[in-house]
Amino acid sequence: MEERLIPISCLNAYVYCPRRFYLEFVRGMFEDNLHTEEGRSRHEVVDARGKEGRAVKKEEYIHRRSVMWKSDRLGITGRLDLLEEDGSGEVYPVEYKKGYKPRGREPWLNDRVQLCAQGLLMEENGLPYPGKGYLYYIASKARVEVPFDASLRNETLKTIEAGLAVARKEELPPPVSNRNQCFACSLYPICLPEEEEVIRGRKVNAKCILPRRLEDQVLYVDKLGAYLSLSDRQIVVKAPGGEVLGEVSLEHLQEVVLCGPVQMSTQLLHSCLYNQIPVHYMSLRGRYIGVASPSLHRHGLLRESQWRAHFNPAFSLKIAQNIVQAKLASSRTLLMRYLRDQKKEPEDSQLIDQLKRLIRQTETALDLDSLRGFEGMGGKLYFQQFQRFIKPVQQELFAFDGRVKRPPNNPVNALLSFGYSLLAKDCVGAALRVGLDPYCGYYHIMKYGRPSLALDIMEYFRQPIVDSMVITAINNGVFSAKDFLIYQGTCYLNERGRKKFIGQYEMRKKDHVTHPLFQYRMSYERTIELQYRILGKYLLGDIEEYTGFRIR
Ligand code: SF4
C-alpha cells in the first residue's frame, strides 16, 4: 500500500508525543480544546491576509502566504503559513504560533522541527535550503529566528523517519512518561493514559486530567405552543401570545431539549447545529423521540470498530455481560444501602444473596437472551423492594407495587419513566459527542428509532442518577399530588411537575461521584462520557479488558 505523506504539523505532534502523532496521523483523530480552537482561528486570520501562494510586496519584503508543498521522497507535505523574501533575496519560512515568545530559552523543539521541515520542503521544491526560519508569536507580536543548523536538520530528518516507522507498525505507542504534557494535550479524552494504566493494573489511582464537570448548560422548553427564535446570538423563548418567557445565550449552551409542541425557527436550528449544539425532542409525556444533531463526529474509524464489534457475537456478549453485571451489582449495592437503615426482614439477606448469584450466573450466559433473563430477574427483585425506600409519610401518594412503563400507572412510575427518558437523551448526546453511533448497541436489540447503544450505556446510570434522585426527591417532599396528571389509570408529570423534575435531575447530573475504578471525583454527566471513551478504547483494541461504572 502506498505510504501517506506526513503533514508537517504531525511532525510537531511526534516530537511532543509519538502517541499523539499516531492518534492524529494514523487514526485521523482530533479533539478541540481551547488552545486548538484559538490556534485555528488565529491561523485563519493569518491566511485571510493574503491569497493562497500569491506574492505580495510589503516594504522591502515579498510575502507568499499559505503555500502548499509536498515531497514524495521525504514523505512529508504541508502548508507554509508564510514564505518571506527579504531585501537581500533570501527566502525563508515564517510559522505563526498563537502564544507568547519564549523568555530566556529557545523555542520548543517540536516547533523548531516543524519549521525546519518547511525548509526541507522548500529545498525539495527547487528553492535553496534556507539558513534560518522564523517563529512568529501572535500574543506577543514578536518573531524569533531559528537557525537551520546541521543538528536541527538531522533531528527533523530523524523525526520523519521515526514517524513513518510508527505509522507502518500500526500499534498505539505508549503514553509520554511526563504526564504534565498531557494537561495541555487536546487528545487526552481519547488517549486516557492514566485511566489505561489503571485498567491494565499498573496503577491504583488515576490522576484526573479530564475536566471534572461540563460547564455548559441545557435549555429545556416544555411550554405548550412556545416559539424559539434567534436574536443577536441570544435564543428568545416566547409564549403563544408573544410574551417573552426568557432569553439564553448560545454561548456555553450544551444542548436544547424541546418537550411537546414547541416550535423553533429554521435560523435558530441552523445556528444550533453550526455551533455543535444538538436539539433533542421529547413528547410531553416524557418519551424520548430523537435528536437533530450536528454533522457526525469525524471519528469514522471509531464507528467502524463499533459496527465491527456489533457483528461479532462473542465481542457483543462480553460487553453486554459487563453491562448486566454492573446493573445488577448497582441494584444490590443500592438495596444494601437503603435496607441498612430499615427494620430487617427475614428475606433481606436472601435477596442480597440472590442478586449476588445472578451476577455470577451472567458469567456463564451463552447468549444475549439468557443475559436478558438474568437482568429481568434482578430487576424484579429490586423493584419489589422499591416501596421500602420511600418514607412512610410519603407512601400514600407514592404507593408503588412494581415497575409499569407504558404508560406509567402511578406517580413513582411517572417519575422513573420521565427520568429514564432524560437519561436516554443524555446518553445519546454523550455518544454523539465522543463520535460513537448511539443507534448501534450490543445488549439492546437494534430497532428502528431505538438508540440501542445509548440504552446500553444508560444501564450503568439508571440507579445512581435517576432512582437515587427520585427516592431522595420523594422523601424530601419535593413532589405533591399537584405535580401529576392522573387519568384513566395512567399518570404523567404536568408542566409544574416536569419543571421541578428537570431542576432536580440537572442538579443530580452535576453531583460529583468518586469513580469506582479511577478513584477520582467527577460529575455524573462527565462519568457518562468517560464510559463511552472507555468503550471506544476497548473497541479500538487499546485495552484488552472492558470495564463499566457501578455504584460502590
Ligand atoms: S494525552 Fe499525553 S500520552 Fe496521550 S497523546 Fe496526549 S501527550 Fe501523549
Side-chain angles (χ1 to χ4, degrees), residues 13 16-24 172-194 209 537:
Y16 190 77
C17 165
R19 186 165 164 120
R20 182 178 172 106
F21 164 85
Y22 186 89
L23 291 170
E24 275 187 15
L172 186 67
V176 278
S177 44
N178 177 6
R179 285 290 195 276
N180 289 338
Q181 285 181 227
C182 302
F183 278 98
C185 177
S186 66
L187 291 191
Y188 190 89
I190 298 172
C191 172
L192 298 177
E194 285 284 299
I209 296 180
K537 280 182 80 67

Side-chain angles (χ1 to χ4, degrees), residues 7-16 20 24 34-47 49 65 79-82 93-102 105-118 133-146:
I8 48 178
S9 57
C10 287
L11 295 178
N12 185 320
Y14 186 91
V15 179
Y16 190 77
R20 182 178 172 106
E24 275 187 15
L34 280 179
H35 300 293
T36 58
E37 274 172 17
E38 195 190 334
R40 190 170 44 248
S41 71
R42 296 268 165 108
H43 267 93
E44 278 165 9
V45 172
V46 171
D47 291 348
R49 286 196 198 138
R65 290 187 189 272
R79 185 185 291 273
L80 280 61
D81 285 343
L82 175 64
V94 182
E95 167 71 15
Y96 283 69
K97 295 288 165 204
K98 73 174 174 60
Y100 288 91
K101 178 184 162 188
R105 61 164 174 85
E106 58 179 349
W108 297 117
L109 180 62
N110 46 332
D111 292 339
R112 286 186 288 130
V113 163
Q114 183 180 0
L115 186 65
C116 182
Q118 301 183 9
Y134 285 94
L135 290 167
Y136 179 78
Y137 293 90
I138 298 173
S140 34
K141 294 193 176 124
R143 48 163 73 188
V144 174
E145 184 180 316
V146 177

Side-chain angles (χ1 to χ4, degrees), residues 194-201 203-206 517-518:
E194 285 284 299
E195 290 75 2
E196 188 179 306
E197 302 264 272
V198 173
I199 293 172
R200 290 181 187 277
K203 252 186 155 185
V204 181
N205 293 345
L517 195 60
F518 308 128

Side-chain angles (χ1 to χ4, degrees), residues 101-247:
K101 178 184 162 188
R103 276 196 181 175
R105 61 164 174 85
E106 58 179 349
W108 297 117
L109 180 62
N110 46 332
D111 292 339
R112 286 186 288 130
V113 163
Q114 183 180 0
L115 186 65
C116 182
Q118 301 183 9
L120 293 174
L121 275 178
M122 288 170 60
E123 187 181 41
E124 289 289 305
N125 285 274
L127 288 177
Y129 178 67
K132 64 180 180 194
Y134 285 94
L135 290 167
Y136 179 78
Y137 293 90
I138 298 173
S140 34
K141 294 193 176 124
R143 48 163 73 188
V144 174
E145 184 180 316
V146 177
F148 287 176
D149 53 23
S151 114
L152 183 60
R153 185 184 170 106
N154 281 342
E155 190 66 42
T156 309
L157 289 169
K158 257 173 38 198
T159 304
I160 299 171
E161 265 311 299
L164 288 169
V166 163
R168 267 179 230 127
K169 215 167 159 203
E170 292 199 6
E171 194 182 293
L172 186 67
V176 278
S177 44
N178 177 6
R179 285 290 195 276
N180 289 338
Q181 285 181 227
C182 302
F183 278 98
C185 177
S186 66
L187 291 191
Y188 190 89
I190 298 172
C191 172
L192 298 177
E194 285 284 299
E195 290 75 2
E196 188 179 306
E197 302 264 272
V198 173
I199 293 172
R200 290 181 187 277
R202 295 184 190 146
K203 252 186 155 185
V204 181
N205 293 345
K207 205 186 272 178
C208 187
I209 296 180
L210 289 164
R212 289 174 195 264
R213 55 184 291 173
L214 291 168
E215 295 303 336
D216 296 348
Q217 301 299 318
V218 180
L219 170 65
Y220 288 88
V221 184
D222 72 342
K223 179 94 188 154
L224 279 175
Y227 184 78
L228 281 73
S229 58
L230 187 69
S231 168
D232 251 353
R233 291 193 64 76
Q234 292 281 113
I235 299 181
V236 183
V237 185
K238 287 187 181 164
E243 174 205 350
V244 175
L245 298 172
E247 293 193 9

Side-chain angles (χ1 to χ4, degrees), residues 151-369:
S151 114
L152 183 60
R153 185 184 170 106
N154 281 342
E155 190 66 42
T156 309
L157 289 169
K158 257 173 38 198
T159 304
I160 299 171
E161 265 311 299
L164 288 169
V166 163
R168 267 179 230 127
K169 215 167 159 203
E170 292 199 6
E171 194 182 293
L172 186 67
V176 278
S177 44
N178 177 6
R179 285 290 195 276
N180 289 338
Q181 285 181 227
C182 302
F183 278 98
C185 177
S186 66
L187 291 191
Y188 190 89
I190 298 172
C191 172
L192 298 177
E194 285 284 299
E195 290 75 2
E196 188 179 306
E197 302 264 272
V198 173
I199 293 172
R200 290 181 187 277
R202 295 184 190 146
K203 252 186 155 185
V204 181
N205 293 345
K207 205 186 272 178
C208 187
I209 296 180
L210 289 164
R212 289 174 195 264
R213 55 184 291 173
L214 291 168
E215 295 303 336
D216 296 348
Q217 301 299 318
V218 180
L219 170 65
Y220 288 88
V221 184
D222 72 342
K223 179 94 188 154
L224 279 175
Y227 184 78
L228 281 73
S229 58
L230 187 69
S231 168
D232 251 353
R233 291 193 64 76
Q234 292 281 113
I235 299 181
V236 183
V237 185
K238 287 187 181 164
E243 174 205 350
V244 175
L245 298 172
E247 293 193 9
V248 183
S249 167
L250 264 187
E251 311 301 329
H252 307 300
L253 195 62
Q254 185 187 321
E255 57 190 21
V256 177
V257 185
L258 305 181
C259 307
V262 176
Q263 312 292 321
M264 170 186 265
S265 73
T266 310
Q267 186 203 13
L268 173 58
L269 184 60
H270 280 193
S271 291
C272 285
L273 300 183
Y274 183 80
N275 289 289
Q276 302 292 313
I277 301 169
V279 180
H280 295 272
Y281 294 90
M282 291 177 69
S283 77
L284 267 184
R285 294 184 165 182
R287 193 168 165 77
Y288 183 69
I289 296 169
V291 57
S293 81
S295 61
L296 269 183
H297 201 293
R298 285 169 287 179
H299 292 173
L301 192 72
L302 182 59
R303 283 190 294 282
E304 190 201 332
S305 330
Q306 179 187 0
W307 279 93
R308 255 194 282 117
H310 173 84
F311 289 112
N312 178 335
F315 210 93
S316 286
L317 184 66
K318 230 172 146 190
I319 298 174
Q321 259 165 339
N322 186 280
I323 290 169
V324 175
Q325 281 164 4
K327 183 175 178 181
L328 293 173
S330 290
S331 302
R332 183 171 176 268
T333 310
L334 211 61
L335 275 174
M336 291 199 300
R337 200 181 288 171
Y338 283 112
L339 297 181
R340 199 186 300 147
D341 308 328
Q342 306 221 354
K343 188 171 150 278
K344 294 271 170 301
E345 300 289 345
E347 312 82 50
D348 285 355
S349 46
Q350 249 178 344
L351 174 75
I352 304 295
D353 288 347
Q354 252 176 302
L355 278 167
K356 197 173 179 181
R357 262 198 307 280
L358 280 176
I359 298 170
R360 261 195 244 116
Q361 279 170 308
T362 56
E363 282 160 22
T364 60
L366 296 176
D367 54 35
L368 294 177
D369 279 341

